[in-house]
Amino acid sequence: MLFRNRFLFLLALAALLAFLSLSLQFWREHLEELGCLTWTKGGSEGPSLSLQPKGGCNQAVWSYKGKQQWKLVLLPVFLILVHLIPVTPVREDGLSPKSRKRIMPDLLTEPPAIDPVYEARVYCNVPTAAERSMEGHAPHYFKLVSVQVLIRHGDRYPLYAIPKTKRPDIDCMLVPSRKPSHPQLEAFVKHMSKGSAAQMDGSLSSLPHFPSHSLCEMGELTQTGVVQHLRNGQLLREIYINKHKLLPSDWTAKQLYLETTGKSRTLQSALALLYTFLPDFDWKKINMRHQWSTIFCSGSCDCPMRNHYLEEEQRRQYSLRVKNNNLENIYVDMAKIVGIPTRQLRASNPIDSLLCYFCHNVSFPCTKAGCIGMEHFKVIKRHQLEDERERQEKKLYFLYALLATHPLLNQTVNRLQRIAEGKKEEVFVLYSAHDVTLSPVLSALGITEARFPRFAARLVFELWQDGKRPKEHFIRILYNGADVTFQTSFCKDHYKRSSKPMCPLEKLVNFVKRDMFLIFNSTNYYDACHRRAL
């Protein structure tokens, strides 16, 4: 009886859908004939359907007579369907906006993905088609006067190895015919081999300009990482050089400021971006400065309270980890597979190595006792997402970030102020750094919706001059091409009171010079660093 009722129900439902479909088709055809229906197949917003029930159209519909007069009863059904059934726009790539978000979400406006595998794909940042970018957008009467870029290095080989397992078989030779590739990859390799004339600070001069090992060394930039930054440089060139003429064709070394940590992956990432930003640049104009600190604190690194908050944050991380029984069971299981104590496996930071396997689509390692699998990876990655959420709630990392990033932000602000005053400064600045550089900067600025920095992530500060009031200067802040200016803590309410899509420079200046220290009951960086914890 249950089957029969269900069968009859489905049959009735099918009949109803067929009836509604015929009704929709009938009224679409006849209303088009009467000029009441507009069906647009093209346009930037995709297909659209609209009714125009007014004037002669209205009269024509209701004067419809004859044998088909009964079909007027279907008009209300048609109207309801038009309003209730959405017409999904289809883009040139054949994907609806919803489908595109499932493939690659908006990294700032969508909530964190609950699927750890999905999140890991975002982190990998495997090069695809050119991504949408909001860099360089401003009212036509504004002039772009400076751009300062902070990047994370591109995809790299792991820094840690899982004991007693075979290392991931990744080739770090640059081969233009191997995917992912870039049209200028071969030219990049040739140009890098001519770089002896460049000025490289300290130990940078001994580092290779591009990766060149058939089996990647620990922490080495991969071909994927090089391609990621060739794409970044090409995108920034199209906007800042071709469109806004930020640098003239005869630019000089004084117009650039380049700084990197002493790792080959950060130097090579900077050179890859620079090559497509300024193709075939003159090596004599390149002066690469060496930054020994990963937080770019330069000569202002003495900060006991920064270290204190970092230690407190590490205790929080440990506490969260030991509470996670599922995570502990996964570590125990993985330790048995590789035949080492659980403590030793945990210390080897297996997620770093597993991410390399995942990003390069290489099978996870196996031993005689079994294989590390996707379920192990999912549990560890899911714990990372939980840790990131709690980190934002507890605020210990935020306090660390304020003190850790002040030297770099202060240097940035001082340079922007000098340029706004008309002094000749470096108009294009590039800092090539790490996730541990970029992540605290995002936190300190208050961009809480930003996810953990992916490979080749970029944070851009744009300085604009108002053409109608030349003494007024504004900034825009962009993260991976998305405008996050009004997500910052110091400018989140400004857009409500201004018609300009940017933030006054003085708001960033006041934040860095004064407001960053209010939470510490201090008025300056030194006092905040040496004041005892509250």
Side-chain angles (χ1 to χ4, degrees):
M1 180 64 69
L2 179 61
F3 173 80
R4 184 183 305 170
N5 291 343
R6 182 177 299 174
F7 175 79
L8 292 175
F9 171 78
L10 292 176
L11 186 62
L13 182 60
L16 177 61
L17 291 176
F19 173 78
L20 294 178
S21 177
L22 290 172
S23 302
L24 180 61
Q25 181 64 25
F26 168 80
W27 278 108
R28 176 183 163 183
E29 293 174 357
H30 289 277
L31 290 178
E32 280 181 335
E33 292 176 2
L34 295 171
C36 307
L37 179 68
T38 301
W39 179 268
T40 304
K41 296 184 179 179
S44 60
E45 297 300 325
S48 62
L49 184 66
S50 62
L51 280 170
Q52 302 170 355
K54 56 186 177 181
C57 167
N58 217 18
Q59 185 176 357
V61 171
W62 295 112
S63 63
Y64 197 71
K65 297 180 180 179
K67 295 181 180 180
Q68 294 178 326
Q69 190 175 25
W70 64 271
K71 294 181 180 178
L72 289 173
V73 178
L74 302 181
L75 181 58
V77 175
F78 175 81
L79 295 175
I80 292 173
L81 288 174
V82 167
H83 287 87
L84 295 184
I85 300 178
V87 179
T88 304
V90 179
R91 299 178 182 270
E92 292 180 358
D93 55 11
L95 296 174
S96 68
K98 185 177 292 186
S99 299
R100 291 176 64 89
K101 288 182 180 179
R102 284 197 295 270
I103 293 173
M104 187 60 69
D106 187 320
L107 299 183
L108 295 169
T109 59
E110 289 190 11
I114 58 174
D115 182 358
V117 174
Y118 185 81
E119 180 76 10
R121 289 197 184 102
V122 176
Y123 174 85
C124 294
N125 188 23
V126 177
T128 54
E131 65 179 73
R132 173 175 53 88
S133 170
M134 289 298 294
E135 279 111 340
H137 287 249
H140 66 89
Y141 55 89
F142 273 75
K143 178 184 178 181
L144 182 68
V145 292
S146 176
V147 172
Q148 306 201 36
V149 184
L150 172 62
I151 61 172
R152 185 192 177 189
H153 58 75
D155 177 83
R156 58 157 173 77
Y157 200 70
L159 297 173
Y160 303 88
I162 300 176
K164 298 186 178 181
T165 62
K166 184 179 180 296
R167 291 171 55 190
D169 189 12
I170 309 295
D171 186 350
C172 275
M173 296 290 290
L174 299 184
V175 182
S177 60
R178 187 177 66 227
K179 294 183 179 181
S181 189
H182 188 277
Q184 292 176 265
L185 180 59
E186 185 175 2
F188 166 75
V189 174
K190 291 179 179 178
H191 195 70
M192 291 301 105
S193 63
K194 305 174 184 177
S196 58
Q199 299 181 51
M200 300 278 180
D201 281 358
S203 61
L204 296 180
S205 58
S206 63
L207 296 177
H209 293 169
F210 60 94
S212 58
H213 295 96
S214 56
L215 178 60
C216 297
E217 296 184 345
M218 303 300 282
E220 185 174 12
L221 196 69
T222 66
Q223 176 164 318
T224 299
V226 171
V227 170
Q228 287 167 341
H229 278 300
L230 288 175
R231 288 179 179 271
N232 272 343
Q234 180 181 6
L235 184 149
L236 297 183
R237 174 177 177 78
E238 291 172 357
I239 296 169
Y240 297 133
I241 302 297
N242 297 345
K243 180 179 179 181
H244 288 288
K245 315 298 181 186
L246 180 67
L247 290 172
S249 57
D250 59 345
W251 57 271
T252 67
K254 294 181 179 180
Q255 293 173 298
L256 300 183
Y257 183 90
L258 311 172
E259 190 169 354
T260 178
T261 60
K263 301 295 183 181
S264 63
R265 59 185 177 275
T266 50
L267 173 63
Q268 293 166 6
S269 293
L271 292 174
L273 186 151
L274 201 60
Y275 180 72
T276 44
F277 185 68
L278 299 169
D280 297 321
F281 54 75
D282 184 349
W283 279 104
K284 295 179 181 178
K285 297 180 181 180
I286 301 303
N287 180 11
M288 192 71 70
R289 296 164 176 82
H290 176 224
Q291 174 56 245
W292 66 271
S293 167
T294 57
I295 58 173
F296 283 64
C297 54
S298 302
S300 303
C301 294
D302 178 26
C303 187
M305 287 309 303
R306 179 197 66 221
N307 300 335
H308 165 76
Y309 289 119
L310 181 59
E311 291 170 0
E312 290 295 309
E313 166 62 15
Q314 291 170 342
R315 290 191 184 95
R316 181 204 62 77
Q317 293 177 1
Y318 175 78
S319 176
L320 182 65
R321 187 175 69 241
V322 298
K323 292 177 183 177
N324 192 331
N325 292 329
N326 196 23
L327 178 67
E328 184 62 23
N329 292 336
I330 285 294
Y331 277 134
V332 170
D333 189 51
M334 291 173 63
K336 289 180 180 178
I337 291 174
V338 298
I340 61 175
T342 305
R343 187 187 316 177
Q344 183 181 349
L345 175 78
R346 193 184 298 112
S348 70
N349 192 15
I351 188 61
D352 182 64
S353 183
L354 293 179
L355 277 167
C356 180
Y357 286 97
F358 180 86
C359 293
H360 289 267
N361 199 26
V362 176
S363 298
F364 292 133
C366 294
T367 69
K368 294 180 180 180
C371 293
I372 295 174
M374 184 59 74
E375 287 308 311
H376 298 98
F377 177 76
K378 286 181 180 179
V379 171
I380 300 175
K381 186 62 184 175
R382 185 176 291 110
H383 172 74
Q384 278 194 329
L385 300 178
E386 294 171 355
D387 177 76
E388 188 172 353
R389 293 189 190 100
E390 186 180 272
R391 184 182 74 180
Q392 294 183 2
E393 295 172 0
K394 299 294 185 181
K395 299 296 185 182
L396 289 169
Y397 186 82
F398 173 66
L399 297 174
Y400 158 76
L402 289 173
L403 297 177
T405 62
H406 179 265
L408 177 58
L409 290 175
N410 191 53
Q411 183 183 36
T412 299
V413 162
N414 287 340
R415 183 182 293 111
L416 293 175
Q417 282 185 297
R418 291 193 297 267
I419 294 174
E421 292 168 359
K423 297 178 181 178
K424 294 183 178 180
E425 291 285 334
E426 305 95 342
V427 295
F428 181 78
V429 176
L430 177 63
Y431 296 106
S432 186
H434 307 263
D435 55 349
V436 293
T437 317
L438 195 50
S439 188
V441 172
L442 293 168
S443 180
L445 293 175
I447 308 173
T448 57
E449 295 181 24
R451 299 183 179 187
F452 190 80
R454 69 192 192 191
F455 286 128
R458 67 183 188 274
L459 181 68
V460 178
F461 293 81
E462 297 176 347
L463 180 65
W464 296 83
Q465 182 183 38
D466 189 336
K468 296 180 179 179
R469 298 181 177 86
K471 291 185 178 181
E472 294 186 7
H473 289 78
F474 297 81
I475 61 162
R476 291 179 74 233
I477 301 177
L478 303 106
Y479 183 51
N480 294 332
D483 189 338
V484 297
T485 307
F486 298 123
Q487 293 183 28
T488 60
S489 58
F490 55 88
C491 212
K492 60 184 178 182
D493 295 325
H494 178 73
Y495 76 96
K496 298 176 182 178
R497 304 186 301 271
S498 173
S499 59
K500 297 182 177 67
M502 49 189 68
C503 186
L505 174 60
E506 57 265 23
K507 284 189 171 291
L508 175 61
V509 173
N510 291 338
F511 171 73
V512 174
K513 300 290 186 181
R514 182 191 65 200
D515 298 344
M516 288 183 76
F517 313 120
L518 296 180
I519 196 171
F520 304 107
N521 272 347
S522 301
T523 58
N524 58 74
Y525 177 67
Y526 180 87
D527 189 41
C529 281
H530 294 83
R531 182 183 291 268
R532 295 185 62 183
L534 301 176

